[in-house]
């Protein structure tokens, strides 16, 4: 079958496809039907109405946009298993929604009176795949989320040397509105208030013929490009007036800056402050911010327009600042636990970048003691516990806690791992033999946990063994091993010794140092299949799986993904 025939086979039924089928297949990959890259294809489909589409017509429809259509239909986008990934994200979103800690910022009425129950999360990949959950179209002021992009704007227009003449690039370790400066009297970085105010001064000084509102409009235009013009960027006069009325500390910082180092090009202090406060009063939605984050993840190219909004070099510098100073004075802990460039705002927004993969944004007004959204931070932590998003996950030495990599198909990866194990076993590899023995040990011990092994259970063990290892076990040997373990289990019960399952846990802990992620995942997979063999995962079985995962150093959140997938598949039957 040639490549075009393969593509057609994905969408055809009895030799034909339809506009509706074609569209649904595209949407199932996370791509919007108004994506700029398939504009011609969608227009041709619309012109056909309900007309059946045969092979020749199909080839003619997609011919001018064949490369991207092939990438979409063949599941070669950056996240191939999109629907499974979305299901996992939905599970995390719902779990985080239960958290009610924190409180709204209360220094201005519009923040204080915001609905604390609002909760939204949106993601956009570098290939333009998008998902949004909850309150993603609620406009809110971006507040400090503006700071790293103001810095990027300053670098673009004024250059790195002039910008860093007035603003440093060091973490402060202090509150965002602290008055302390570097030893050369510069603000620590563009994300603390002093640095953000000075950055606003740099921007304002470069446009002497524009007033503060006109300069702010230029920055709003930048945001529009970053979010792919997905919705209108707004400005809140109410927020601006409240910010101005409560800006005493910020004005004090501005006067201190002027007194210690002088302002860029002697820019008017009032104009500088108007630009700073105005940028905080820009309003956007979570959906919009997720695309802006994806543009940063994509090296400055907006995934949904293809426009180069910022240069890659400026994006690298901007992400570096976000990495070390984006989460106020909790930035260090955030890097340690989450390991991603991020920027928060006191209205409840959080913008996060997973370089070369995706950007995402969350919105929830309740803040922690550092001024970061409680739900937003929790969402980040939970994602990193399940997926290989942390910047240092690639340095795991073969042990990442078996976290999922959404860049790769989990089904294909598991098949490949099993194939490698079978191949190695066929040549007598000792490591593969060790993994095989642990797989069998695990299945028998889990089965024995609820009493005696019946013939049907031994058969199930044999079937799973065959599926994973590619060869059928010797039934008499398998039965002999199971019987022997069962007898030892009965003896251990009489003498008050460890059960076979307790022995299994100790064995796994002992062997863990020589096992990599692939081995740990296959052993847990075998246990999981045994536990699910009766069509459900009972509480006791889930506890056993958790104990095995813990012994193998598999993250509990990863096990949750597997159980959730099993339940979804069960519900779909």
């Amino acid at each position: 079958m040639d490549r075009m025939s393969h593509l057609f086979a994905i969408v055809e039924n009895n030799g034909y496809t339809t506009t509706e089928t074609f569209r649904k297949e595209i949407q199932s990959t996370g791509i919007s039907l108004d994506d700029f890259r398939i504009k011609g294809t969608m227009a041709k489909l619309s012109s056909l109405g309900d007309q059946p589409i045969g092979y020749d017509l199909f080839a003619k429809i997609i011919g001018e946009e064949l490369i991207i259509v092939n990438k979409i239909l063949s599941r070669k986008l950056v996240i191939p298993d999109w629907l499974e990934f979305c299901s996992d994200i939905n599970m995390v979103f719902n779990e985080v929604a239960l958290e009610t800690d924190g409180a709204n910022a209360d220094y201005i009425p519009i923040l204080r009176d915001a609905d604390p129950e609002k909760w939204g999360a949106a993601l956009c990949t570098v290939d333009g795949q998008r998902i949004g959950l909850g309150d993603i179209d609620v406009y809110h002021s971006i507040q400090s989320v503006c700071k790293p992009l103001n810095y990027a704007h300053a670098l673009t227009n004024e250059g790195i040397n002039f910008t860093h003449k007035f603003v440093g690039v060091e973490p402060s370790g202090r509150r965002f509105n602290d008055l302390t400066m570097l030893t050369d009297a510069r603000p620590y970085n563009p994300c603390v208030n002093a640095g953000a105010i000075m950055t606003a001064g740099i921007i304002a000084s470069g446009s002497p013929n524009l007033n503060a509102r006109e300069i702010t409009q230029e920055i709003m235009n930048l945001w529009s490009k970053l979010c792919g013009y997905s919705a209108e960027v707004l400005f809140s006069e109410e927020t601006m007036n409240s910010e101005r009325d409560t800006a005493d500390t910020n004005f004090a910082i501005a006067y201190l800056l002027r007194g210690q180092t002088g302002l860029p090009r002697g820019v008017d202090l009032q104009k500088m402050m108007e630009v700073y406060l105005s940028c905080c009063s820009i309003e956007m939605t979570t959906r919009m911010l997720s695309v802006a984050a994806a543009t940063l993840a994509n090296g400055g190219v907006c995934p949904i327009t293809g426009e180069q909004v910022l240069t890659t070099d400026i994006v690298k510098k901007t992400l570096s600042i976000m990495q070390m100073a984006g989460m106020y004075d909790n930035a260090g802990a955030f890097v340690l636990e989450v390991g991603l460039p991020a920027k928060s705002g006191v209205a409840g927004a959080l913008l996060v970048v997973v370089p070369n993969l995706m950007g995402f944004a969350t919105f929830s007004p309740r803040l922690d003691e550092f001024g970061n959204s409680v739900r937003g931070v929790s969402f980040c932590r939970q994602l990193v516990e399940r997926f290989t998003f942390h910047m240092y996950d690639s340095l795991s030495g073969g042990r990442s806690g078996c976290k999922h990599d959404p860049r790769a198909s989990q089904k294909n990866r598991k098949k490949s791992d099993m194939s490698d194990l079978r191949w190695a076993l066929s040549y007598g590899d000792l490591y593969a033999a060790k993994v095989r023995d642990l797989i069998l040990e695990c299945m028998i011990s889990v089965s024995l946990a609820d009493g005696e092994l019946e013939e049907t259970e031994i058969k199930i063990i044999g079937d799973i063994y065959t599926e994973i290892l590619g060869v059928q076990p010797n039934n008499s040997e398998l039965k002999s091993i199971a019987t022997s373990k069962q007898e030892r289990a009965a003896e251990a019960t009489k003498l008050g010794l460890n059960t076979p399952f307790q022995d299994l846990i100790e064995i796994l802990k002992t062997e863990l140092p020589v096992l990599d992620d692939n081995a740990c995942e296959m052993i847990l997979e075998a246990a999981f299949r045994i536990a699910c063999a009766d069509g459900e995962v009972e509480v006791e079985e889930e506890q056993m799986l958790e104990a095995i995962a813990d012994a193998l150093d598999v993250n509990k959140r990863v096990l949750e993904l597997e159980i959730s997938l099993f339940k979804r598949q069960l519900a779909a039957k």
Side-chain angles (χ1 to χ4, degrees):
M1 183 183 293
D2 64 28
R3 295 176 67 180
M4 184 64 78
S5 298
H6 173 74
L7 281 183
F8 185 59
I10 294 172
V11 295
E12 67 90 19
N13 183 27
N14 294 324
Y16 291 92
T17 188
T18 64
T19 296
E20 182 181 5
T21 299
F22 202 162
R23 286 172 173 167
K24 285 183 177 178
E25 189 66 30
I26 289 172
Q27 289 177 311
S28 72
T29 68
I31 297 298
S32 173
L33 296 179
D34 61 1
D35 191 290
F36 76 100
R37 297 164 296 180
I38 54 172
K39 185 177 180 180
T41 300
M42 291 299 101
K44 291 174 185 176
L45 283 175
S46 296
S47 69
L48 294 175
D50 297 329
Q51 176 184 339
I53 301 170
Y55 173 83
D56 292 337
L57 182 55
F58 171 81
K60 186 176 180 180
I61 290 171
I62 69 172
E64 294 179 353
E65 296 168 336
L66 180 58
I67 290 179
I68 183 60
V69 173
N70 174 62
K71 188 175 182 181
I72 293 169
L73 295 183
S74 300
R75 298 298 197 273
K76 293 179 180 178
L77 299 171
V78 69
I79 298 183
D81 297 336
W82 179 251
L83 293 181
E84 284 302 323
F85 179 70
C86 288
S87 295
D88 294 338
I89 295 299
N90 192 70
M91 179 182 68
V92 175
F93 177 84
N94 290 332
E95 186 171 330
V96 172
L98 301 176
E99 300 187 26
T100 57
D101 292 340
N104 289 23
D106 59 4
Y107 71 93
I108 60 175
I110 195 170
L111 300 182
R112 180 196 64 208
D113 298 336
D115 183 356
E117 297 305 322
K118 293 295 184 185
W119 169 225
L123 297 83
C124 178
T125 74
V126 295
D127 274 337
Q129 299 163 283
R130 300 170 70 183
I131 177 179
L133 301 168
D135 302 307
I136 59 171
D137 293 315
V138 175
Y139 275 92
H140 51 80
S141 57
I142 62 174
Q143 296 293 330
S144 290
V145 175
C146 74
K147 293 175 180 177
L149 271 301
N150 284 1
Y151 171 67
H153 185 69
L155 290 179
T156 299
N157 290 282
E158 302 299 337
I160 186 171
N161 292 331
F162 185 79
T163 300
H164 289 167
K165 178 181 177 182
F166 295 94
V167 182
V169 290
E170 300 296 335
S172 72
R174 295 178 170 85
R175 295 287 292 174
F176 63 94
N177 59 357
D178 193 89
L179 300 180
T180 307
M181 305 292 170
L182 289 166
T183 54
D184 59 8
R186 289 182 303 160
Y188 274 86
N189 59 70
C191 285
V192 293
N193 282 15
I197 290 169
M198 187 65 93
T199 302
I202 294 168
I203 294 170
S205 74
S207 300
N209 298 323
L210 300 180
N211 62 36
R213 186 55 58 86
E214 291 170 332
I215 294 170
T216 302
Q217 185 59 55
E218 288 190 342
I219 294 172
M220 291 169 66
N221 294 341
L222 171 61
W223 277 109
S224 291
K225 293 178 182 179
L226 288 165
C227 70
Y229 310 99
S230 53
E232 185 180 2
V233 178
L234 303 180
F235 183 83
S236 172
E237 291 287 355
E238 180 183 357
T239 302
M240 177 62 185
N241 292 332
S242 294
E243 292 282 0
R244 189 187 290 117
D245 292 342
T246 57
D248 290 348
T249 300
N250 286 326
F251 271 100
I253 291 173
Y255 281 110
L256 180 64
L257 292 172
R258 188 171 72 176
Q260 287 191 346
T261 63
L263 301 181
R265 302 187 181 101
V267 68
D268 178 69
L269 184 144
Q270 294 295 327
K271 181 179 180 180
M272 175 178 73
M273 286 301 299
E274 285 289 303
V275 171
Y276 170 73
L277 298 174
S278 293
C279 288
C280 293
S281 304
I282 293 171
E283 288 192 334
M284 296 176 67
T285 69
T286 305
R287 191 196 299 271
M288 296 165 70
L289 288 173
S290 71
V291 179
T295 300
L296 296 178
N298 201 31
V301 178
C302 180
I304 67 172
T305 65
E307 180 180 2
Q308 180 87 48
V309 182
L310 295 168
T311 68
T312 302
D313 185 60
I314 285 176
V315 170
K316 287 193 294 185
K317 290 177 171 58
T318 302
L319 294 182
S320 297
I321 291 295
M322 291 170 63
Q323 183 88 53
M324 62 94 170
M327 299 297 285
Y328 299 119
D329 50 327
N330 193 47
F334 189 84
V335 170
L336 187 71
E337 296 171 0
V338 177
L340 293 171
K343 188 69 194 83
S344 62
V346 292
L350 181 57
L351 181 147
V352 188
V353 176
V354 187
N356 298 316
L357 177 60
M358 70 179 188
F360 65 91
T362 65
F363 173 61
S364 179
R366 291 197 187 96
L367 309 179
D368 60 22
E369 61 184 304
F370 304 104
N372 300 317
S373 171
V374 171
R375 284 174 172 165
V377 172
S378 178
F379 187 77
C380 292
R381 286 174 176 160
Q382 294 212 32
L383 288 189
V384 169
E385 287 174 354
R386 292 169 167 86
F387 302 103
T388 54
F389 289 166
H390 193 289
M391 64 185 296
Y392 293 126
D393 272 334
S394 60
L395 299 177
S396 63
R399 298 185 185 88
S400 70
C402 294
K403 292 195 285 187
H404 288 189
D405 183 358
R407 304 166 186 85
S409 169
Q410 296 299 309
K411 294 177 184 177
N412 292 343
R413 184 187 54 76
K414 286 182 180 180
K415 287 180 181 178
S416 176
D417 292 343
M418 291 178 185
S419 176
D420 288 345
L421 180 68
R422 295 165 188 165
W423 176 67
L425 277 171
S426 69
Y427 282 91
D429 182 87
L430 296 179
Y431 178 77
K434 180 187 291 291
V435 175
R436 175 202 60 200
D437 293 345
L438 290 173
I439 285 173
L440 186 58
E441 180 89 20
C442 200
M443 289 193 291
I444 293 174
S445 297
V446 170
S447 298
L448 277 172
D450 60 356
E452 294 186 0
L453 275 175
E454 299 177 357
E455 289 287 341
T456 55
E457 291 177 299
I458 295 176
K459 183 180 184 306
I460 290 171
I461 291 173
D463 290 344
I464 295 173
Y465 182 98
T466 302
E467 188 172 344
I468 292 177
L469 299 173
V471 293
Q472 288 187 337
N474 183 299
N475 288 333
S476 60
E477 288 183 8
L478 177 58
K479 189 172 182 179
S480 175
I481 294 171
T483 302
S484 176
K485 276 190 168 295
Q486 189 166 287
E487 290 173 352
R488 291 204 304 272
E491 186 68 18
T493 300
K494 291 179 183 178
L495 299 176
L497 303 176
N498 281 351
T499 65
F501 185 78
Q502 290 171 326
D503 285 338
L504 168 70
I505 297 301
E506 294 305 314
I507 291 171
L508 294 178
K509 288 180 178 179
T510 300
E511 296 290 354
L512 178 61
V514 299
L515 300 175
D516 62 14
D517 267 3
N518 294 341
C520 291
E521 195 160 8
M522 280 189 280
I523 294 167
L524 183 59
E525 172 88 5
F528 185 80
R529 293 193 188 189
I530 285 293
C532 298
D534 59 354
E536 61 180 335
V537 181
E538 297 176 349
V539 175
E540 295 81 2
E541 292 170 330
E542 192 166 333
Q543 290 173 344
M544 284 193 292
L545 291 174
E546 288 178 0
I548 293 171
D550 183 62
L552 293 170
D553 201 25
V554 175
N555 195 299
K556 179 182 176 181
R557 300 294 191 184
V558 175
L559 177 61
E560 287 178 1
L561 292 182
E562 296 295 335
I563 294 174
S564 176
L565 174 60
F566 169 75
K567 290 180 178 178
R568 290 197 301 269
Q569 292 173 337
L570 198 63
K573 291 181 179 179

